[in-house]
Amino acid sequence: MKWIFTFRENPPKEKIGGKAFALAALRQKDLNVPNAFFITADAYRYFVEQNSLDQQINLELGKKDFSNMRWEELWDIALRLRNRFSKGDIPEDLLFEISQTIEDMFPQTPVGVRSSSLAEDSSQTSFAGLHESYINLVGKKEIIQHIKLVWASLWSDRALLYRRELGLDPFESAMGVVVQEMVFGDSSGVSFSMNPVNPKQGSVEAVYGLNQGLVDGTIEPDHWELDRANSQIVEHRPAKRTKALKAQKQGVAAQALNKIQQKIPPLNDQEVQEVYDFSRQMEKIFQSPQDMEWTIRLKQIYILQSRSITTITDEHDERKRYLSLKRSLDNLKSLKLVIEKQLIPDMEAQAKKLNKFYLTQLTDQDLVREIKKRQEIVRQRVGDYWEYCIPFAHGMRLFGQVYNDRMNPNDPYEFMKLLENSGLVSVKRNQRLSQIGKSIRQKKEIALALERNEDFDQWPEFTDLLDEFIESYGKTSWGGLNMGMTRQKLARLAAKFETPKDTKSKPNQGRMRKVFLESFEPEQREEAQDILEIGIASYRLRDDDNIFLGKVEGELTRALDEGFIRLEEKWGKLDHRPGPEEICKALTNQIKPQISSIKDQKTKPTTSLKEKPRQLVGQPASPGIAVGRARIVSTPQDLYDFKKNEILICDAIDPNMTLVVPLAAGIVERRGGMLIHGAIIAREQNIPCVTGVPEAASLIKTGESVCVDGYLGIVIVGENSLKKSLEKE
């Protein structure tokens, strides 16, 4: 079996993939392509087979219908597979051949290790940016480790999503690898021989330094549009030039440009035309418009790769959506600043302002106007949430990948230990709830009043505690319903709480942090520190932002509640709660509401009555084993009914409902992933959790015995199954 080809050997495309084949074809035309060798897809398959990774891939993708997986679940799968690839052993005969080729061609020469999947870069599909590439690697150990990471990128979440979009079978995928000599360019970029949006023009983009800064969005490029007919420049859109990506002793880093470079484009007009003419030459060679990557060093142009421009128009290119799953550090820093300094303070201030509004004093028509105003406010805030908060969740992804690539841990989720205990608002809220519970236990008179359902007015200090809690956390909305928190409901819930758990930094967090940062060269530690801090902030805000958004949504719900009360006062008790539009229409026209939208009705289970699940499989999200009675939570009232040591079963945990999590012995959730709210709060409270269990809230009934295995991601249902599971321990 031949596993490696060089430029001299005319390698077949079906062995090395589209990117590698294009480079070989260009080199045969005597074009200026840096030296390289190619590892075949057969080598990838051999590695996968010898490490039983095919079985692991089948197991990961077979747990749940692929079309029903959220990005968090796919990221979990990608993370686990990446870890398995990273720790896998390359078979000795293949390892010898790769090592020998490195020794012969690049013994101490910096190289880039790039993907070349068999499905990559045809005229119909472009995987540009969806698979990994690594640059400035020196020595066998570094190169071989990153070859495995390139293989693993075939199973990244964004690559899996894109294959699904194109209808490609992921199990038919295979990966070739390009190991190519580095050229440390003075300027680099891409050139499109034909603009996908305007076929009469082509374009060139350029940055100072290395090309990766442009490709991953770290560095903003200068952009030129050219006339395809004569290669004349039609337009130049200058960038805000501040930095360039430069090679370090190990890897690359962004460096500030000097004042002269900040004022001058990375290419002059003649160089722009020369680069563009090269891309037109590529188009003639491959008989289709080309997207060419290039670099210039000492006035000489080097071609790094060339691929066909897909026939998909830019407007309908779904690849953009999947590329957004990967965010640069600079982008994440900007998002953090907006969320912490603008969005959260604005949402909190807005909720407080709306809460001071006396809705009962409004006429029906004014109330309708107020409801519509609040609907618009919520719409804007939800838009902000999707524009800023959701993308910022990828800060955890960035840190997790950097940590795992650096530390190569046995547990792919080890990095989460450095993110925990970061001061979540929900944890602080639950600690205050525990303090209220402590006050009830310490004063028997209050406990007795609670038992008799009497008010607490004779204990002003206690009522202050209750009122402060309700003001801070009780006016949120969950699933379009008001939390309905009263002094009595809050006190009954708090009475179930014990002394709050200590959530101070765990003893080994400081040591882990030190080991992680010291694994970097001194000049890289500041960036590593930034990545860690972004990961911690992303973990914290993944939960916090929903709580503040819930406060704004709660004020809309409060206005809708007022409308509903008025309708019942006029028309008597209604069978169901109308939706917002029906409430507004009924108040405006003074007519009895027609029910067409019911949010607070419980959906009937679609499961057959004969179906008796015994073992359900999901994803392990928080370690541990818990046994208890199930409690299905689907409405705010279910939260107040929750009892200590029950198993919380739900469709999807919202941060505004996690106030009962400390009472739970375990958590089971339909929605999956290590980054979802239920998983985050479960780890904070050291509660076993399994996520990604299809139809969990339908298959499991309140009161059933449940065993939650947070190590394996298994949920055992029923008395007999429970006994068997305990007997095995």
Side-chain angles (χ1 to χ4, degrees):
M1 179 72 71
K2 187 168 180 59
W3 288 311
I4 292 177
F5 286 91
T6 64
F7 281 132
R8 299 189 302 272
E9 298 173 285
N10 194 24
K13 185 176 182 178
E14 65 273 14
K15 293 285 187 182
I16 61 173
K19 185 184 296 182
F21 181 77
L23 288 172
L26 295 175
R27 185 66 174 252
Q28 288 167 9
K29 297 286 185 181
D30 293 325
L31 291 168
N32 202 13
V33 177
N35 198 17
F37 69 86
F38 313 116
I39 302 172
T40 68
D42 290 327
Y44 162 83
R45 295 187 185 101
Y46 184 36
F47 171 78
V48 166
E49 179 187 348
Q50 292 298 305
N51 286 275
S52 300
L53 285 165
D54 48 350
Q55 298 174 27
Q56 182 71 21
I57 291 166
N58 274 301
L59 177 65
E60 292 286 1
L61 294 181
K63 285 183 178 180
K64 189 176 181 180
D65 186 341
F66 189 65
S67 63
N68 291 330
M69 289 186 185
R70 290 167 53 90
W71 71 263
E72 294 103 329
E73 294 174 88
L74 287 172
W75 183 74
D76 278 358
I77 289 172
L79 181 74
R80 288 190 290 270
L81 290 177
R82 183 185 178 89
N83 184 257
R84 286 290 301 272
F85 271 82
S86 178
K87 299 194 77 66
D89 294 321
I90 297 178
E92 287 187 10
D93 47 352
L94 174 58
L95 180 62
F96 175 80
E97 191 166 333
I98 294 173
S99 299
Q100 192 61 52
T101 307
I102 294 171
E103 285 286 349
D104 292 344
M105 295 182 65
F106 308 123
Q108 288 300 316
T109 303
V111 300
V113 177
R114 305 176 187 275
S115 65
S116 183
S117 83
L118 298 196
E120 193 169 310
D121 302 338
S122 70
S123 59
Q124 284 76 43
T125 64
S126 173
F127 280 78
L130 292 172
H131 297 136
E132 298 289 358
S133 292
Y134 301 92
I135 59 177
N136 196 27
L137 305 171
V138 180
K140 286 188 295 185
K141 183 179 178 181
E142 280 292 297
I143 295 170
I144 289 168
Q145 180 63 19
H146 285 84
I147 288 169
K148 292 192 289 183
L149 292 179
V150 168
W151 282 338
S153 72
L154 189 66
W155 304 98
S156 72
D157 52 350
R158 53 192 186 276
L160 284 170
L161 283 165
Y162 189 50
R163 283 187 179 85
R164 183 178 70 182
E165 189 73 33
L166 297 174
L168 300 176
D169 184 352
F171 295 103
E172 295 297 319
S173 303
M175 179 70 80
V177 178
V178 178
V179 180
Q180 187 174 38
E181 182 180 357
M182 284 292 301
V183 176
F184 298 106
D186 305 310
S187 58
S188 307
V190 296
S191 176
F192 289 85
S193 67
M194 183 181 74
N195 189 323
V197 179
N198 184 352
K200 293 184 178 181
Q201 293 184 350
S203 60
V204 172
E205 291 186 332
V207 296
Y208 282 106
L210 300 176
N211 212 26
Q212 187 172 326
L214 183 156
V215 174
D216 66 15
T218 305
I219 312 292
E220 180 188 356
D222 277 66
H223 181 97
W224 291 266
E225 290 289 327
L226 297 95
D227 191 328
R228 273 176 60 84
N230 54 24
S231 298
Q232 294 300 304
I233 296 172
V234 176
E235 179 187 7
H236 173 216
R237 296 198 292 270
K240 185 178 180 181
R241 307 178 201 99
T242 58
K243 56 188 177 181
L245 207 63
K246 299 285 188 179
Q248 303 291 301
K249 179 180 178 182
Q250 190 180 61
V252 296
Q255 295 181 1
L257 294 174
N258 60 46
K259 291 183 179 179
I260 295 176
Q261 289 175 315
Q262 290 177 19
K263 295 177 181 178
I264 300 175
L267 299 179
N268 59 40
D269 287 356
Q270 181 181 343
E271 289 171 328
V272 170
Q273 290 175 317
E274 288 176 356
V275 165
Y276 181 66
D277 287 341
F278 263 107
S279 66
R280 291 301 303 273
Q281 190 176 349
M282 303 300 105
E283 182 176 329
K284 290 179 181 177
I285 292 171
F286 295 111
Q287 297 295 299
S288 67
Q290 294 290 296
D291 164 9
M292 180 188 80
E293 287 189 28
W294 54 270
T295 191
I296 295 178
R297 179 169 175 79
L298 301 176
K299 302 296 183 181
Q300 191 167 9
I301 298 175
Y302 293 85
I303 301 168
L304 303 180
Q305 68 180 60
S306 187
R307 53 182 165 246
S308 296
I309 298 173
T310 59
T311 54
I312 302 171
T313 64
D314 190 61
E315 180 183 355
H316 298 100
D317 187 357
E318 289 293 330
R319 185 167 47 92
K320 284 186 174 182
R321 183 152 55 96
Y322 307 134
L323 284 170
S324 72
L325 293 177
K326 185 176 182 180
R327 296 278 174 159
S328 69
L329 179 59
D330 283 350
N331 176 256
L332 290 166
K333 284 181 176 179
S334 299
L335 291 173
K336 178 178 180 288
L337 195 64
V338 171
I339 294 168
E340 290 187 329
K341 301 298 183 183
Q342 182 179 330
L343 288 188
I344 287 180
D346 285 356
M347 283 193 286
E348 190 162 32
Q350 202 163 38
K352 286 181 178 178
K353 183 178 179 181
L354 292 173
N355 185 249
K356 292 178 180 178
F357 211 83
Y358 291 101
L359 298 172
T360 55
Q361 298 178 1
L362 298 178
T363 66
D364 286 354
Q365 300 305 314
D366 286 341
L367 179 59
V368 169
R369 281 190 282 271
E370 184 65 21
I371 288 172
K372 291 182 177 180
K373 184 183 85 172
R374 294 183 182 210
Q375 282 181 310
E376 178 59 23
I377 289 171
V378 169
R379 187 192 66 78
Q380 291 175 354
R381 288 306 177 194
V382 170
D384 290 338
Y385 174 79
W386 280 94
E387 184 176 355
Y388 299 101
C389 301
I390 290 293
F392 188 62
H394 297 297
M396 288 182 279
R397 291 163 46 95
L398 174 63
F399 172 66
Q401 183 164 317
V402 170
Y403 182 91
N404 285 354
D405 288 354
R406 200 75 193 171
M407 309 307 294
N408 200 23
N410 291 322
D411 177 7
Y413 298 109
E414 181 179 282
F415 73 94
M416 300 294 288
K417 295 176 183 177
L418 280 173
L419 306 182
E420 295 169 4
N421 306 311
S422 56
L424 301 182
V425 169
S426 57
V427 171
K428 295 175 182 177
R429 175 201 60 201
N430 291 353
Q431 289 171 342
R432 286 180 64 178
L433 197 57
S434 295
Q435 291 299 328
I436 295 173
K438 183 179 179 181
S439 297
I440 295 172
R441 289 191 298 275
Q442 288 178 340
K443 202 167 187 66
K444 293 181 180 179
E445 295 89 342
I446 295 178
L448 187 60
L450 178 61
E451 186 179 332
R452 294 173 176 173
N453 203 28
E454 297 173 351
D455 63 48
F456 310 112
D457 291 342
Q458 59 183 303
W459 301 286
E461 290 185 5
F462 182 66
T463 56
D464 285 347
L465 279 177
L466 296 175
D467 292 343
E468 287 169 7
F469 187 94
I470 292 171
E471 181 66 28
S472 297
Y473 307 110
K475 297 180 178 180
T476 60
S477 175
W478 167 40
L481 298 174
N482 195 296
M483 291 296 288
M485 189 174 288
T486 63
R487 285 180 178 178
Q488 280 287 335
K489 285 184 176 181
L490 174 58
R492 290 188 185 283
L493 182 62
K496 303 172 188 177
F497 276 65
E498 296 178 350
T499 305
K501 295 179 181 179
D502 182 13
T503 57
K504 293 180 181 178
S505 179
K506 296 178 182 178
N508 67 340
Q509 266 190 331
R511 181 176 56 81
M512 284 181 64
R513 185 186 187 105
K514 184 173 184 289
V515 171
F516 168 68
L517 294 175
E518 289 182 352
S519 71
F520 292 86
E521 296 293 329
E523 65 270 17
Q524 294 178 311
R525 285 178 193 164
E526 183 177 351
E527 183 176 0
Q529 175 76 37
D530 287 346
I531 291 171
L532 171 58
E533 295 304 323
I534 282 292
I536 292 171
S538 174
Y539 180 87
R540 171 173 50 81
L541 290 171
R542 175 75 171 141
D543 207 59
D544 290 0
D545 50 25
N546 280 266
I547 289 178
F548 291 105
L549 177 61
K551 290 183 178 183
V552 177
E553 291 174 330
E555 290 306 317
L556 169 60
T557 303
R558 189 167 70 90
L560 291 170
D561 287 347
E562 174 63 25
F564 181 62
I565 290 169
R566 294 187 186 191
L567 292 178
E568 288 206 321
E569 287 175 349
K570 184 174 182 63
W571 301 103
K573 187 170 180 60
L574 301 174
D575 292 336
H576 305 297
R577 180 187 175 101
E581 299 308 316
E582 287 75 19
I583 289 175
C584 289
K585 185 177 179 180
L587 289 172
T588 300
N589 299 323
Q590 294 296 303
I591 58 174
K592 188 172 182 177
Q594 300 296 313
I595 308 300
S596 62
S597 173
I598 303 168
K599 283 199 171 185
D600 57 350
Q601 275 191 304
K602 293 183 181 179
T603 304
K604 293 182 179 180
T606 57
T607 311
S608 167
L609 292 175
K610 295 181 180 179
E611 189 171 359
K612 297 289 185 182
R614 286 292 173 260
Q615 181 169 294
L616 305 174
V617 178
Q619 304 289 351
S622 181
I625 295 177
V627 176
R629 297 288 176 182
R631 170 74 63 178
I632 309 301
V633 175
S634 57
T635 70
Q637 184 55 46
D638 295 329
L639 297 176
Y640 300 114
D641 294 337
F642 199 90
K643 297 176 183 176
K644 186 173 175 58
N645 292 327
E646 288 184 322
I647 305 295
L648 195 162
I649 314 289
C650 64
D651 183 71
I653 284 185
D654 183 286
N656 295 295
M657 62 179 279
T658 55
L659 72 170
V660 300
V661 165
L663 297 175
I667 297 172
V668 179
E669 186 174 354
R670 175 196 60 81
R671 198 171 65 169
M674 286 287 285
L675 306 184
I676 62 174
H677 310 295
I680 289 174
I681 195 69
R683 287 191 298 273
E684 289 286 331
Q685 301 287 344
N686 298 316
I687 295 169
C689 178
V690 176
T691 64
V693 180
E695 297 186 81
S698 297
L699 294 173
I700 303 171
K701 312 300 179 188
T702 293
E704 285 189 305
S705 293
V706 175
C707 177
V708 179
D709 188 334
Y711 295 108
L712 299 177
I714 294 173
V715 180
I716 301 173
V717 185
E719 299 286 354
N720 293 333
S721 298
L722 187 56
K723 288 178 182 177
K724 289 179 182 178
S725 69
L726 294 175
E727 287 170 1
K728 290 179 182 178
E729 293 183 359

